[in-house]
Amino acid sequence: MDVKAVLPPRGRDYRLDLLRGFANWAIYLDHIPNNAVNWITQKNFGFSDAADLFVFISGYTASFVYARMMLERGTVIGATRLIKRAWQIYVAHVLLFVIYIAEIGYLAQRYHDPNLENEFNVAGFMQNPAETLYQGLILAFKPVNMDVLPLYIALMLVYPLVLWAMLRKLNLTLAASFLLYLAARHFGWNLPAYPAGSWYFNPFCWQFLFVFGGWFALGGASESITFIRSRAFLWLGGAYLLFALVMTLAGRFPELGQAMPTWLYDAFNPNDKTNLAPYRVLHFVVLAFFVTRFLPREWPGYEWPIFQPIIKCGQQSLEVFCSGVFLAVVAHVVLVEVSGSLWMQILVSAIGIVLMTLLAYYRSWSKKVDKAPKPPVAAQAPVAAKPAE
């Protein structure tokens, strides 16, 4: 195999765990409407948010794990392991899908609030369960807040071919991904959703961020390190992050937005998340380069106790993400039906993160127990042959 990519060093990269844990916490907080605590998340201070981070890290992780497998054990084995991982994510999605609908249906009846079914886009299931369930199984029907995993599944299913190409033509594959991104935005390509509309995360656009994560892992970051460490990037990147902060805050505070020219405000508000607006991509690229510059792989701070819960949530990302989707519904209902006060917003946010963290620690312990070595079997002493009489 004529490999052009440069694989990352062996061993766990705790930067990924830290950032993925942060993404899971932020997605949970962002999924709770009218929650003041989600003001601490990334979406309020720039064009990109935790979903961008989650997709990027997923592409990065898939690349350095399965690329090494392709190189050491063959392309077929690496490709089939990618498909197996996509199947595991699909099974988790289906399980979450069923529990999610049951949860919303129960809460709507418990609090006599049928609007919950409409608010979370599950009313169609109550009216036509057989067709809606089928559409959910083929990823066309997605309740509110359940759009990320179908995107992840779709990208993982086609990634064996992409990864095969990246190992041979890294930059060319990224360029092809970018051309697909531009074509999808220009021609309006997207997948249909049920019962109407299209996917909230357009896979033809969001694939670029996933592939960019793979490019980053397979040598793109090392190729760009001179630019990343340059003074020009520090000033230009910092200026763009500041501009993104101002424009995002303008969308949050009408007084600030009204003080800006209409053409400038309208160019960035509302933020085009479905088709991954170019200014959103650029914002995330700048953030990724800044993290590479200022957060080294060998930083000793990863061992600090304060970071251990969030790192653990990043290591058990799938389980934590699924539990966060479930808990966000409960938190929202509590704020609507019990109390929407600030202290209750803080309480449900904190309890949800604690429960997600406890699940992460349990899953980590459970996996260690499953992999525990079996005790050695005591060797039996050889039985001496009885002498013939």
Side-chain angles (χ1 to χ4, degrees), residues 315-379:
Q315 292 172 346
Q316 311 299 329
S317 179
L318 182 58
E319 296 89 343
V320 170
F321 174 84
C322 291
S323 66
V325 172
F326 174 84
L327 291 170
V329 176
V330 178
H332 173 58
V333 172
V334 169
L335 294 181
V336 171
E337 303 293 344
V338 179
S339 172
S341 63
L342 178 60
W343 72 265
M344 184 62 79
Q345 296 172 35
I346 296 173
L347 182 62
V348 298
S349 299
I351 290 176
I353 288 177
V354 169
L355 291 175
M356 293 160 64
T357 304
L358 290 176
L359 175 62
Y361 274 97
Y362 167 75
R363 287 295 297 149
S364 178
W365 171 82
S366 179
K367 290 178 180 179
K368 288 180 181 178
V369 171
D370 292 340
K371 295 179 180 179
K374 296 181 181 180
V377 179

Side-chain angles (χ1 to χ4, degrees), residues 182-302:
L182 293 178
R185 287 186 54 84
H186 179 75
F187 295 107
W189 297 342
N190 199 343
L191 295 179
Y194 178 85
S198 55
W199 282 34
Y200 180 70
F201 290 100
N202 184 343
F204 297 109
C205 295
W206 280 80
Q207 56 78 29
F208 176 69
L209 208 55
F210 195 86
V211 175
F212 176 69
W215 175 87
F216 214 83
L218 299 179
S222 58
E223 288 183 2
S224 310
I225 197 65
T226 301
F227 173 72
I228 291 173
R229 292 176 177 171
S230 67
R231 182 180 295 272
F233 168 69
L234 181 64
W235 285 100
L236 291 175
Y240 185 72
L241 293 183
L242 180 60
F243 171 75
L245 171 64
V246 172
M247 295 310 303
T248 302
L249 291 178
R252 304 287 189 273
F253 298 99
E255 298 80 4
L256 180 58
Q258 293 170 3
M260 294 183 174
T262 302
W263 63 267
L264 180 62
Y265 178 86
D266 291 344
F268 300 97
N269 292 283
N271 189 325
D272 183 8
K273 188 172 184 177
T274 292
N275 296 307
L276 196 65
Y279 53 81
R280 190 182 181 104
V281 174
L282 181 58
H283 181 261
F284 186 83
V285 170
V286 172
L287 286 178
F289 282 178
F290 268 112
V291 168
T292 303
R293 176 170 181 152
F294 294 111
L295 189 63
R297 181 187 176 104
E298 302 80 12
W299 182 50
Y302 302 124

Side-chain angles (χ1 to χ4, degrees), residues 121-125 127-128 131-132 135 140-142 192-198:
N121 191 32
V122 300
F125 179 85
Q127 299 168 3
N128 188 1
E131 177 65 20
T132 307
Q135 295 293 337
F141 171 69
K142 295 176 285 293
Y194 178 85
S198 55

Side-chain angles (χ1 to χ4, degrees), residues 16 20 56-66 152 213-214 217:
L16 298 179
R20 187 160 43 195
F56 169 83
I57 293 179
S58 298
Y60 188 108
T61 305
S63 296
F64 85 78
V65 171
Y66 296 101
Y152 193 4

Side-chain angles (χ1 to χ4, degrees), residues 14-233:
Y14 289 101
R15 291 178 302 181
L16 298 179
D17 298 329
L18 180 67
L19 294 173
R20 187 160 43 195
F22 167 77
N24 277 318
W25 286 8
I27 288 173
Y28 165 70
L29 295 174
D30 290 340
H31 281 174
I32 306 174
N34 304 316
N35 179 23
V37 181
N38 65 30
W39 265 99
I40 67 175
T41 65
Q42 178 184 343
K43 73 170 186 177
N44 300 290
F45 305 102
F47 298 135
S48 62
D49 61 21
D52 306 61
L53 181 58
F54 185 89
V55 172
F56 169 83
I57 293 179
S58 298
Y60 188 108
T61 305
S63 296
F64 85 78
V65 171
Y66 296 101
R68 193 178 301 277
M69 191 176 296
M70 281 187 174
L71 295 177
E72 295 177 352
R73 303 175 60 187
T75 300
V76 173
I77 291 179
T80 56
R81 298 309 89 186
L82 270 167
I83 300 299
K84 178 183 177 181
R85 182 57 178 168
W87 170 252
Q88 292 172 340
I89 299 168
Y90 177 77
V91 171
H93 170 73
V94 171
L95 179 61
L96 177 62
F97 176 79
V98 173
I99 295 175
Y100 192 77
I101 291 178
E103 174 193 24
I104 295 170
Y106 169 78
L107 291 173
Q109 292 183 357
R110 171 68 176 79
Y111 290 99
H112 307 287
D113 186 0
N115 287 331
L116 281 176
E117 297 176 359
N118 295 314
E119 188 174 357
F120 289 96
N121 191 32
V122 300
F125 179 85
M126 306 304 175
Q127 299 168 3
N128 188 1
E131 177 65 20
T132 307
L133 178 59
Y134 167 74
Q135 295 293 337
L137 293 176
I138 63 173
L139 307 182
F141 171 69
K142 295 176 285 293
V144 172
N145 296 339
M146 285 196 60
D147 302 278
V148 173
L149 287 185
L151 172 68
Y152 193 4
I153 294 165
L155 296 178
M156 288 289 282
L157 285 175
V158 300
Y159 206 59
L161 180 60
V162 176
L163 186 55
W164 178 89
M166 291 186 78
L167 287 173
R168 291 159 176 80
K169 300 291 183 180
L170 182 65
N171 294 332
L172 185 61
T173 305
L174 181 67
S177 173
F178 185 65
L179 289 177
L180 176 58
Y181 162 79
L182 293 178
R185 287 186 54 84
H186 179 75
F187 295 107
W189 297 342
N190 199 343
L191 295 179
Y194 178 85
S198 55
W199 282 34
Y200 180 70
F201 290 100
N202 184 343
F204 297 109
C205 295
W206 280 80
Q207 56 78 29
F208 176 69
L209 208 55
F210 195 86
V211 175
F212 176 69
W215 175 87
F216 214 83
L218 299 179
S222 58
E223 288 183 2
S224 310
I225 197 65
T226 301
F227 173 72
I228 291 173
R229 292 176 177 171
S230 67
R231 182 180 295 272
F233 168 69

